[in-house]
């Protein structure tokens, strides 16, 4: 479950909950493509913007729609009490694992971040993926902190942020050297995934995989087969998408793509976030039209 | 209400709510000292860690315990929907004004930040204070963005972060030049308050004022009287406290002080935040013992 392609579908958010039918379609489409796992309620799944009830409902729908594909469910929150509530709901819904970020308002010390994972793993009966996402949480995990957390029971994988191609081998090698063998490393930041997998990452926690799972599976399989040229070439074809992700944020771009290709009838973003404006939507259309192959 | 000293009391958080008796004492103590306003559920009030019910209850208790002192209530949240719920609760509790930060998980564009304030002020019947706190929200307000927001109805004050003494006059002057006269500027970052007030800030949104209101009032009054030497000297006497704020974060230090001086029986911090350890507590004790005058 913690290797290969883990696809993170978008959660369409409405003013009074989530668009359940659309969410089931998005998850089902990803499961049907044969991904190795599904990440529900990751950042692309909008977890920080949903209340407990909405998150519990999304977890249920994701597990139901995923069929036999294991579902990893995001449980992060600013307060440990709320994380534990989300863990309870995720487990009840049938989560195969949980994904835990270290969300912050007040900056956290390393001991506080470790304490969060300690408190949560002590109350957990499924595996946990450490979600290292400095772009949203502003927490910087050192290798030493990762190693401390990886020593806790039930910690089975680390979702690391993207690393530039010329640094990824050193980054992954350095982190690997301090982790138990039982803990996998998964790359995120889709633009960096091919190089990350080729540099020794065990898996790819993918935003685009939630929309175009077959396209992303082709990259992941090429990398797993050691076909570096093919993995890089397939990723390079998607470079215009990576550019849009960097320009507008992948969350807004994924929403716009889903509308553009008819998977959603509304952007499904929670205010204060706003959908892409006309310029951005035109760029999305142009990029999609330029892709020779995609799901 | 948007000038002088606005004191921000700590909210003692327990595993199942807030310590209501202790909170009433903290607010009452500040009100009795004669502060110009009270800021309930600011960052020191732990607003991002409390659920809707707890925040509504804290708002009620703060207004009740504040007597005739106007209470400004923090309403920030990651999602606009939740902000509007907090606004409703704050107004029902008798808020004299609301304080709104631009909390983020996904980074927000300037248009999204403006849109947040636009959506909220359209649903508001009391004045609003813009809470500019890049240290926790990671939003950088340009003067241009402040000016756009200050043009919205009911925006009456801006709570700006601390600015080093050698830059504060330019900062305040630059911001003032783009704001309507009806919008006050209040400084926060207690270490910078004396210089901020002397540089033309209308008020001081104060963390320490929530614990030692008389001590802080003396600084604010000296600055208002144009007695720069006295304002700076009084602030300088507190420099060891400002050092602890910088080292451990004012939120943890205020909790430790409140315990040390008997205002609280427990630290009242929500996990994953942890109380100061033994070293930090000893430093707090030493600093308090070294202060010649305080409430």
């Amino acid at each position: 479950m913690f290797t290969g392609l883990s696809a993170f579908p978008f959660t369409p958010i409405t003013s009074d909950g989530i668009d359940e039918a659309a969410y089931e379609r998005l998850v089902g489409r990803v499961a049907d493509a044969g991904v190795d796992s599904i990440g529900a309620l990751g950042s692309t799944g909008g977890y920080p913007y949903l209340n407990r009830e909405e998150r519990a409902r999304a977890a249920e729908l994701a597990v139901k729609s995923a069929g036999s594909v294991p579902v990893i469910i995001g449980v992060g929150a600013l307060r440990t009490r709320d994380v534990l509530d989300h863990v309870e709901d995720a487990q009840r819904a049938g989560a195969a694992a949980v994904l835990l970020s270290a969300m912050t308002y007040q900056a956290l010390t390393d001991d506080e971040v470790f304490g969060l994972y300690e408190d949560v793993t002590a109350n957990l009966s499924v595996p946990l993926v450490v979600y290292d996402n400095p772009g949203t949480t502003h927490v910087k995990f050192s290798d030493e902190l990762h190693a401390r957390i990886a020593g806790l029971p039930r910690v089975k994988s680390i979702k690391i942020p993207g690393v530039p191609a010329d640094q990824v081998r050193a980054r992954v090698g350095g982190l690997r050297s301090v982790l138990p063998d039982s803990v996998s490393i998964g790359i995120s930041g889709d633009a960096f995934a091919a190089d990350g997998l080729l540099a020794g990452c065990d898996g790819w926690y993918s935003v685009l995989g939630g929309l175009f799972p077959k396209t992303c599976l082709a990259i992941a399989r090429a990398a797993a087969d050691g076909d570096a040229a093919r993995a890089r070439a397939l990723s390079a074809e998607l470079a215009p998408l990576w550019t849009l992700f960097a320009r507008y944020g992948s969350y807004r771009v994924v929403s716009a793509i889903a509308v553009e290709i008819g998977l959603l009838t509304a952007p499904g973003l929670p205010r204060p976030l706003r959908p892409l404006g006309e310029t951005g939507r035109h760029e999305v259309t142009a990029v999609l039209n330029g892709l020779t192959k995609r799901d």
Side-chain angles (χ1 to χ4, degrees), chain A residues 267-286:
Chain A
L269 293 168
R271 285 197 177 192
L273 289 153
R274 303 280 176 135
L276 292 190
E278 198 177 336
T279 306
R281 291 199 308 275
H282 285 166
E283 290 176 76
V284 164
T285 306

Side-chain angles (χ1 to χ4, degrees), chain A residues 139-160:
Chain A
V139 169
K140 297 213 188 328
F141 284 78
S142 64
D143 282 0
E144 187 196 347
L145 178 57
H146 270 310
R148 279 180 76 192
I149 294 170
L152 290 166
R154 282 170 288 279
V155 174
K156 293 297 176 196
S157 184
I158 301 175
K159 178 182 190 298
I160 63 168

Side-chain angles (χ1 to χ4, degrees), chain A residues 30-117:
Chain A
V30 168
D32 290 345
V35 299
D36 299 293
S37 65
I38 290 174
L41 297 173
S43 295
T44 306
Y47 75 94
Y49 302 104
L50 297 170
N51 64 26
R52 181 176 182 182
E53 189 177 37
E54 290 163 335
R55 290 171 69 163
R57 181 66 182 147
E60 286 172 7
L61 293 172
V63 171
K64 181 181 129 196
S65 308
S68 60
V69 179
V71 179
I72 305 167
I73 295 178
V75 294
L78 287 171
R79 186 167 174 185
T80 303
R81 175 188 67 179
D82 299 330
V83 175
L84 295 175
D85 285 344
H86 298 316
V87 163
E88 187 182 323
D89 297 339
Q91 291 183 158
R92 186 174 298 136
V98 295
L99 172 72
L100 177 58
S101 62
M103 281 180 69
T104 62
Y105 178 78
Q106 298 285 352
L108 297 176
T109 65
D110 278 7
D111 283 343
E112 288 170 334
V113 173
F114 176 77
L116 167 68
Y117 286 91

